[in-house]
Amino acid sequence: MVAQHRQSIPQDARVPSPPVPTARQLLLQALLVVAVVFLACGLGILTRPEHQLAAFWPTNALLLGLFARRPALASPAGWAAAALGYVAADLLTGSSLPTTLRLTAANLAGVAAGFLVFQRVRHEDRQLQHPLSMLSVLAVSAAAALAAGLAGSLSSSMKLGFLTTSGFWFSAELVCYVAILPVVLLAPAPSTLPQVLRERLARLRRHPRTVLPLLALLLTILLGVVIGGPGAIAFPVPALLWCALAYRLFTTALVTLLLCMWTLIAIATGVIDLQLRDDGPLPVISLRMGMALLAVAPLTVASVNAARNRLLATLNHAADHDALTGTLNRSAFMRRGRELAEHAQATGRPVVAMMLDIDHFKSVNDRHGHAAGDAVLTIFAQRMREHLRQDGLFGRFGGEEFAVLLPDLDTDDASTVAERLRHLASEPIPLNDGRMLDVTVSVGLASLSSPMRVDTLEQLLSQADAALYRAKAMGRNRVIA
């Protein structure tokens, strides 16, 4: 019986399986992984002191972030392509094959561990949308760094001892993961990058003071170079927190990454002298772990600030918009209408007001129920919003009555717009039970072709409301100016 039941399921009712990538898509994905790994390895090798590990190794974190954002790349072909990128970069820079294979195994072990842990991270935490999201990223980073540290120490000669070697690997991996993963996870899509850059430049031109946190950060970095000492790595912290409060989350993540890269490379090359007496590995381990934990602070502050801004935006939207239709409520419409009026007064533009009332709406509730009435209001408002200009205002004044305010329209054009809205409202509205409901709307129109004064907004709406009552008295389903 069960088998017969399964066979009776229509083919189109089954859950569709994900499309199988073509050979060309697999090849392009593998080439992308190889290119990212190879180039990132080259960058890390450039920071490698002679006969030592790199001062900053971005490859593993970049690969993990890439696999986390695009899981389709984490296929067997993707992992093989990553291994090829590691091996090719190391061999081309003079490493022996046994050493290259050991390092590649350790690197991939860390990425694999991080990828497995990432599967249990919530989507909002991947986007650092929760105040504690950075702790999830830190946990992923620690798991990846621990796996790489264990694999790296087991595959090395362990001249410094197992614990010290593991700590050296762990600290180096941890700071890279913590600094790089947020940037990769939050980076805008390549197709939107030009638009994002234009918006940032436009904002900078409008508000030149937004560059002040960056200038403060550069000043503290310079002080660290000049003064040096163990406390030099903490000099930028106040400016970094200022950046976290002033900039968006991705910008803060990028600034934090650049600071970590600079600090580690500057210390490794002697640009920043920490004046430490002990030249052993323990101060290096301590420094790297300190940098990793330092990076958590501004990113956590930025996450909290972003969550706060989203909450405020949600509260402001709820305060200004009707809960059922999503349109402006009366108070928000009047407030923004006065702002539009001030602008019209300054520029000499005409303004048109419309009052719209759904005809016989009470009978809809009486005959079909309040759920049907809510559906009528919602669909009506959606249709009106889709066909009104973005520079106008549309709001619900109460019940089935709505208001529209549009600039730059004369009386003839306004009548044309009002007729179009009336025809849109008369299209049948589908109900949840499959029935189609016919409704009509009456429109009252008033316009001022002369420059509008702020204190005439209420008068203009009153004139449109009076025209609406004339339209209803003349039989409804019409536009009256």
Side-chain angles (χ1 to χ4, degrees):
M1 294 297 292
V2 174
Q4 292 176 357
H5 176 70
R6 287 179 178 174
Q7 292 174 358
S8 66
I9 297 176
Q11 183 68 27
D12 56 359
R14 299 173 184 171
V15 178
S17 58
V20 178
T22 64
R24 183 174 181 272
Q25 289 174 329
L26 288 175
L27 178 60
L28 292 176
Q29 291 174 357
L31 290 176
L32 173 63
V33 174
V34 168
V36 169
V37 171
F38 184 82
L39 294 175
C41 285
L43 177 62
I45 290 171
L46 291 176
T47 70
R48 179 186 293 172
E50 188 175 359
H51 305 301
Q52 297 183 35
L53 295 177
F56 194 82
W57 185 254
T59 313
N60 301 344
L62 282 174
L63 182 61
L64 176 56
L66 188 64
F67 282 173
R69 287 195 61 164
R70 300 181 60 180
L73 295 177
S75 62
W79 287 100
L84 178 60
Y86 281 114
V87 171
D90 242 9
L91 290 179
L92 288 177
T93 52
S95 295
S96 64
L97 182 59
T99 300
T100 296
L101 294 178
R102 289 197 302 268
L103 293 175
T104 298
N107 290 327
L108 289 178
V111 176
F115 186 73
L116 290 176
V117 177
F118 234 124
Q119 306 311 304
R120 301 185 176 276
V121 175
R122 299 178 302 175
H123 176 73
E124 56 267 31
D125 287 331
R126 297 186 183 201
Q127 299 297 313
L128 274 68
Q129 295 179 353
H130 190 272
L132 299 180
S133 294
M134 195 57 205
L135 296 183
S136 297
V137 176
L138 180 61
V140 171
S141 303
L146 180 61
L150 292 176
S153 59
L154 290 174
S155 63
S156 65
S157 60
M158 291 191 294
K159 295 179 180 179
L160 300 175
F162 177 76
L163 291 179
T164 302
T165 304
S166 299
F168 202 83
W169 271 83
F170 175 81
S171 61
E173 292 290 308
L174 182 65
V175 66
C176 292
Y177 277 112
V178 170
I180 294 175
L181 268 182
V183 175
V184 180
L185 296 174
L186 298 171
S191 58
T192 63
L193 191 57
Q195 179 182 355
V196 171
L197 290 176
R198 287 195 297 269
E199 292 176 354
R200 299 293 189 274
L201 291 175
R203 183 172 180 266
L204 181 60
R205 286 193 295 267
R206 292 194 305 268
H207 307 286
R209 292 186 177 181
T210 56
V211 77
L212 291 179
L214 278 180
L215 294 178
L217 184 62
L218 293 175
L219 178 61
T220 57
I221 291 173
L222 180 61
L223 287 176
V225 173
V226 174
I227 299 175
I233 65 170
F235 287 179
V237 171
L240 202 56
L241 294 177
W242 189 8
C243 291
L245 294 173
Y247 301 140
R248 296 187 179 182
L249 193 51
F250 172 69
T251 305
T252 301
L254 186 59
V255 170
T256 303
L257 168 61
L258 295 176
L259 176 64
C260 289
M261 289 180 60
W262 157 257
T263 303
L264 293 176
I265 295 173
I267 292 174
T269 56
V271 176
I272 297 179
D273 184 8
L274 295 183
Q275 302 173 14
L276 297 176
R277 296 179 181 178
D278 187 1
D279 295 331
L282 292 182
V284 177
I285 295 174
S286 176
L287 167 68
R288 288 172 171 172
M289 293 187 65
M291 285 300 303
L293 298 178
L294 184 148
V296 171
L299 292 172
T300 301
V301 171
S303 297
V304 172
N305 194 46
R308 168 186 170 274
N309 291 337
R310 285 193 301 272
L311 178 60
L312 290 176
T314 301
L315 293 175
N316 289 334
H317 185 275
D320 288 349
H321 291 78
D322 175 60
L324 176 63
T325 63
T327 62
L328 292 174
N329 56 33
R330 186 187 187 102
S331 61
F333 183 94
M334 297 301 295
R335 184 179 69 254
R336 299 188 186 186
R338 293 187 182 95
E339 294 175 358
L340 190 150
E342 291 178 359
H343 187 66
Q345 182 183 24
T347 59
R349 298 191 303 172
V351 177
V352 168
M354 302 179 195
M355 297 298 295
L356 299 85
D357 190 273
I358 300 176
D359 298 326
H360 304 295
F361 182 75
K362 184 177 183 299
S363 65
V364 173
N365 284 328
D366 294 340
R367 294 173 57 189
H368 303 282
H370 288 281
D374 290 346
V376 169
L377 291 172
T378 302
I379 295 176
F380 169 79
Q382 179 182 352
R383 290 176 178 176
M384 298 300 104
R385 281 199 306 268
E386 290 176 351
H387 290 82
L388 287 170
R389 291 176 357 207
Q390 295 295 323
D391 60 348
L393 298 178
F394 178 54
R396 183 183 180 191
F397 268 37
E400 68 276 19
E401 191 174 51
F402 296 81
V404 175
L405 200 62
L406 295 173
D408 294 333
L409 283 180
D410 56 26
T411 303
D412 293 338
D413 291 337
S415 298
T416 301
V417 172
E419 285 291 346
R420 186 173 75 247
L421 297 179
R422 186 179 67 84
H423 283 293
L424 285 171
S426 64
E427 295 179 0
I429 294 178
L431 300 180
N432 291 333
D433 56 7
R435 291 177 297 167
M436 303 297 289
L437 189 61
D438 293 323
V439 298
T440 60
V441 66
S442 300
V443 184
L445 180 65
S447 62
L448 290 176
S449 57
S450 60
M452 185 178 181
R453 298 192 312 274
V454 176
D455 59 358
T456 61
L457 175 61
E458 288 78 4
Q459 180 182 356
L460 181 64
L461 292 173
S462 178
Q463 293 174 358
D465 196 48
L468 171 64
Y469 276 96
R470 291 198 301 272
K472 299 176 81 66
M474 295 174 65
R476 296 181 169 85
N477 191 23
R478 66 190 65 224
V479 176
I480 297 295

